[in-house]
Amino acid sequence: MVITKKYLVFPVSDFVKVREIDFYSKDKLLDDIYIKLDYINPKYNIYYPVEKYKGLNIDVIIHPDINFRWDQTDEPDYTFVYNCPFRPKLHFTAAFGWLNDPNGLFEYTSKVTGEKVYNMYFQYNPYGNIGGNIHWGHAVSKDLLHWEQKSSVMAPDELGMIFSGSAVVDSENRSGLKSGEEDVILIYYTAAGGTNKLSENKKFTQCIAYSNDCGKTFVKYKENPIIQNVGNDNRDPKVVWCEEMQCYVMALYLKEGTSSFGIFTSRDLLHWEFLQEMVIDGDAECPDLYPIYVQDGERERKWVITAASGKYIICECSENGFQIIQQAMPLNYTLHSYAAQTFYNVSDGRIIRMSWNRDVFFPESPFSQQMSIPYDIVLKKKDNLYILCAKPIKELEKLICDKYEIKNISISENKEFKIPLKKSAYIISVGIAREKFENLTISFFDCAVNMDSANNQAVCGDKKIPLCVYKNTADLSLIVDKCSIELISSDGAATMTIPAICDYNIDSLVISSSSSAELDYLTVSELESVYNA
């Protein structure tokens, strides 16, 4: 068939197996995608962009073979995505399709308009609510809460699918890739060789793309890859400026099945040299690294390096490289929060971090997975121990539309505490000295969190986090959305995400205990939806 319009229309459902669709022109493979193509019981349509093939005669092969019907359109109809009862009120989700790791987070203020925007890219399948067909999706925000999804910026090619990476604002034009008035934006990503038919028999390599329009569109660097394969499935380059070494540094996961990360250096952002290998015991992939000053310290500067499941090491840096001064500790306590990254170039100096909330389930929805709430990161020091802490960003308070506060609450076996809740999102915070209780259960929307003083833990389902890490007060905050709970304890020293579908039929907050307990405070803050729905 000759391509005459911008999109091919594919009906899909959740109930058939994934099918491989190969596109050819004159026996040349143009692309291959994997979707749940279903002409018999379709649930909705997805739209495959073919404008670049306009005028070509395209052949399509489907594995396994099924009856195929050509439909083309210039105007996709995505109205179905806005009628989703389980779409979260607070967390970013793709309008349609699957997302996972956050990538290339940065803040940028336009040199032309003066507008400040946060950019978030992410691993993205635009053709279905399962993993695969990995592109880089894109969303922008002015406040880190209200996100507008834009067009995808990179699609798989002959080097592979577009796996995770990071972004740098090259304000000095060290790369020489700038054209125009705006600073050039560089994104570093893994070309995952062998993950699509176009890249058969190729290996994982590291590549660059660049933008001269504030991150809206990117051009892949003609000299890619910039780092050849250095190990089995090496991936996820994170690049930042290092003041101590007066160069850019890259952290790269070196080899599947290990906890090894490589540090590379560059002065022009294009040519990279291996410097050293580092180990984050018990963790792997998706490194993040950044300098940070100890809170309330006398300008004591350290470096933090984290891996995908939330373990972090503390380092010092000199002109010769990084030295680990504190071995791996956990910040996050479930794999439902994964692959966290921090924003580059934040103008007010804050360290802002977001992660993928994976395995959060949205029944019968055309989208899958969500991003976490953004967190402010600080480093504290207690008895010569460095403790990384994550607290929800202060901007979240702007969403508070109603607030209930009470102090000095007595709870006993025969005296529970109960207040009504609306069908909304909430921040629920409690504080209590450990000697004032043995156990306490907080129930809401048919979800329950137990605070266990004897074992120093908060438990939700089969998951648990410590209540107290460096002090003796058990403070616990819960960010409750339609399909998830994010738990933050010990002033942010421990975090945990739990998939949990809220049952709004059970519309009360109940605090109970099998023994006596004295709460110092309880705060229940209702939050407006960032989707205005």
Side-chain angles (χ1 to χ4, degrees):
M1 184 179 185
V2 175
I3 299 299
T4 60
K5 297 187 177 181
K6 294 180 180 180
Y7 299 92
L8 291 182
V9 183
F10 291 127
V12 299
S13 75
D14 294 330
F15 312 109
V16 299
K17 294 181 179 179
V18 174
R19 315 189 200 281
E20 178 185 335
I21 305 179
D22 299 333
F23 301 88
Y24 287 88
S25 177
K26 297 179 180 179
D27 297 325
K28 179 184 178 182
L29 179 64
L30 300 176
D31 199 5
D32 56 293
I33 65 173
Y34 303 83
I35 63 173
K36 291 189 172 185
L37 186 62
D38 187 354
Y39 287 100
I40 305 303
N41 295 297
K43 190 170 184 182
Y44 35 77
N45 291 326
I46 65 105
Y47 301 90
Y48 175 73
V50 290
E51 188 172 18
K52 60 185 175 182
Y53 304 140
K54 222 167 193 181
L56 290 181
N57 197 329
I58 300 295
D59 297 318
V60 175
I61 297 176
I62 303 175
H63 310 279
D65 189 24
I66 63 172
N67 292 325
F68 179 72
R69 183 176 70 246
W70 284 101
D71 285 308
Q72 300 186 50
T73 185
D74 283 325
E75 297 183 5
D77 179 7
Y78 279 117
T79 54
F80 69 92
V81 306
Y82 301 110
N83 186 27
C84 300
F86 288 96
R87 191 176 292 280
K89 293 178 177 291
L90 302 177
H91 294 77
F92 174 79
T93 51
F96 171 81
W98 164 283
L99 63 77
N100 54 286
D101 305 2
N103 300 147
L105 311 181
F106 70 94
E107 178 196 307
Y108 183 70
T109 300
S110 169
K111 304 300 182 185
V112 176
T113 67
E115 182 182 40
K116 184 179 78 171
V117 173
Y118 297 97
N119 286 265
M120 173 177 61
Y121 304 90
F122 49 90
Q123 298 282 275
Y124 183 47
N125 177 11
Y127 307 136
N129 58 3
I130 58 173
N133 306 307
I134 295 299
H135 295 54
W136 267 32
H138 182 208
V140 298
S141 175
K142 293 182 179 180
D143 63 0
L144 293 163
L145 298 173
H146 299 83
W147 293 93
E148 179 186 356
Q149 187 171 350
K150 300 293 189 179
S151 299
S152 300
V153 295
M154 287 197 298
D157 59 19
E158 67 281 355
L159 293 179
M161 292 189 191
I162 312 298
F163 277 20
S164 292
S166 58
V168 166
V169 179
D170 183 13
S171 57
E172 299 175 311
N173 194 27
R174 290 181 176 232
S175 64
L177 296 173
K178 177 179 178 178
S179 63
E181 296 181 67
E182 301 288 0
D183 289 338
V184 60
I185 312 295
L186 275 63
I187 53 178
Y188 294 79
Y189 65 94
T190 296
T195 55
N196 57 346
K197 187 170 284 188
L198 277 170
S199 66
E200 279 184 340
N201 300 317
K202 293 184 180 177
K203 296 181 178 181
F204 281 36
T205 57
Q206 314 315 314
C207 296
I208 291 177
Y210 59 95
S211 171
N212 281 295
D213 60 2
C214 305
K216 297 181 182 69
T217 62
F218 284 84
V219 176
K220 291 173 181 174
Y221 183 49
K222 63 181 180 180
E223 301 297 329
N224 281 336
I226 57 163
I227 297 180
Q228 297 291 344
N229 183 270
V230 294
N232 179 35
D233 290 356
N234 53 176
R235 58 186 182 270
D236 312 329
K238 176 60 187 277
V239 177
V240 296
W241 171 255
C242 178
E243 189 70 25
E244 290 87 342
M245 290 190 279
Q246 286 294 296
C247 65
Y248 284 89
V249 293
M250 173 194 294
L252 184 71
Y253 183 51
L254 288 180
K255 188 176 181 181
E256 183 70 29
T258 73
S259 297
S260 295
F261 298 83
I263 302 295
F264 296 74
T265 62
S266 174
R267 284 179 167 76
D268 65 2
L269 290 165
L270 302 177
H271 302 89
W272 294 85
E273 296 182 356
F274 178 78
L275 175 67
Q276 65 187 114
E277 182 175 341
M278 308 194 79
V279 172
I280 303 178
D281 286 328
D283 216 335
E285 67 178 354
C286 301
D288 191 13
L289 79 162
Y290 47 88
I292 188 169
Y293 288 95
V294 177
Q295 189 178 58
D296 301 324
E298 296 181 2
R299 303 299 290 172
E300 185 180 357
R301 176 179 163 106
K302 305 299 177 187
W303 279 78
V304 172
I305 307 179
T306 69
S309 65
K311 289 188 170 61
Y312 62 92
I313 57 176
I314 305 297
C315 301
E316 290 181 343
C317 185
S318 68
E319 60 184 12
N320 298 316
F322 294 94
Q323 179 184 1
I324 298 175
I325 63 168
Q326 184 173 293
Q327 293 295 335
M329 291 178 58
L331 171 60
N332 175 60
Y333 283 80
T334 69
L335 296 181
H336 298 299
S337 179
Y338 201 74
Q341 292 287 294
T342 49
F343 279 81
Y344 187 87
N345 204 46
V346 178
S347 55
D348 62 7
R350 287 191 296 166
I351 298 173
I352 303 168
R353 162 177 162 146
M354 292 182 72
S355 63
W356 164 34
N357 282 171
R358 71 181 190 180
D359 302 327
V360 175
F361 177 58
F362 310 104
E364 298 184 352
S365 296
F367 60 92
S368 183
Q369 316 295 298
Q370 69 180 24
M371 290 301 175
S372 73
I373 294 295
Y375 287 81
D376 282 316
I377 298 296
V378 298
L379 185 64
K380 299 184 178 182
K381 189 176 182 180
K382 177 71 172 179
D383 299 328
N384 293 319
L385 182 68
Y386 296 97
I387 302 167
L388 203 62
C389 295
K391 297 294 290 288
I393 57 169
K394 58 189 178 184
E395 287 87 343
L396 200 62
E397 296 178 0
K398 297 177 182 178
L399 298 179
I400 296 175
C401 56
D402 195 10
K403 192 171 186 176
Y404 176 91
E405 294 181 279
I406 189 171
K407 296 182 179 180
N408 303 321
I409 308 171
S410 296
I411 309 290
S412 66
E413 184 177 358
N414 301 313
K415 183 183 178 183
E416 64 183 22
F417 181 84
K418 185 176 181 179
I419 62 171
L421 296 176
K422 297 177 183 177
K423 301 173 180 61
S424 190
Y426 285 91
I427 301 177
I428 302 168
S429 299
V430 297
I432 181 170
R434 285 184 64 183
E435 67 270 13
K436 292 184 179 181
F437 77 108
E438 293 180 6
N439 67 80
L440 199 74
T441 299
I442 306 170
S443 302
F444 48 89
F445 303 136
D446 202 27
C447 303
V449 177
N450 179 255
M451 298 174 69
D452 179 353
S453 175
N455 293 300
N456 186 31
Q457 62 187 20
V459 182
C460 186
D462 61 350
K463 303 296 191 296
K464 59 189 71 173
I465 59 172
L467 280 173
C468 305
V469 174
Y470 66 95
K471 58 182 183 178
N472 203 41
T473 300
D475 58 275
L476 180 68
S477 292
L478 313 174
I479 300 176
V480 181
D481 207 345
K482 281 188 179 181
C483 297
S484 66
I485 309 168
E486 292 188 54
L487 293 84
I488 306 103
S489 70
S490 196
D491 201 29
T495 65
M496 178 169 74
T497 297
I498 299 292
I501 296 177
C502 289
D503 182 352
Y504 288 136
N505 294 287
I506 301 174
D507 56 358
S508 295
L509 171 73
V510 178
I511 302 177
S512 59
S513 177
S514 59
S515 60
S516 64
E518 296 288 334
L519 272 69
D520 294 332
Y521 66 86
L522 167 69
T523 304
V524 181
S525 300
E526 182 189 353
L527 304 175
E528 294 177 346
S529 171
V530 297
Y531 295 100
N532 297 317

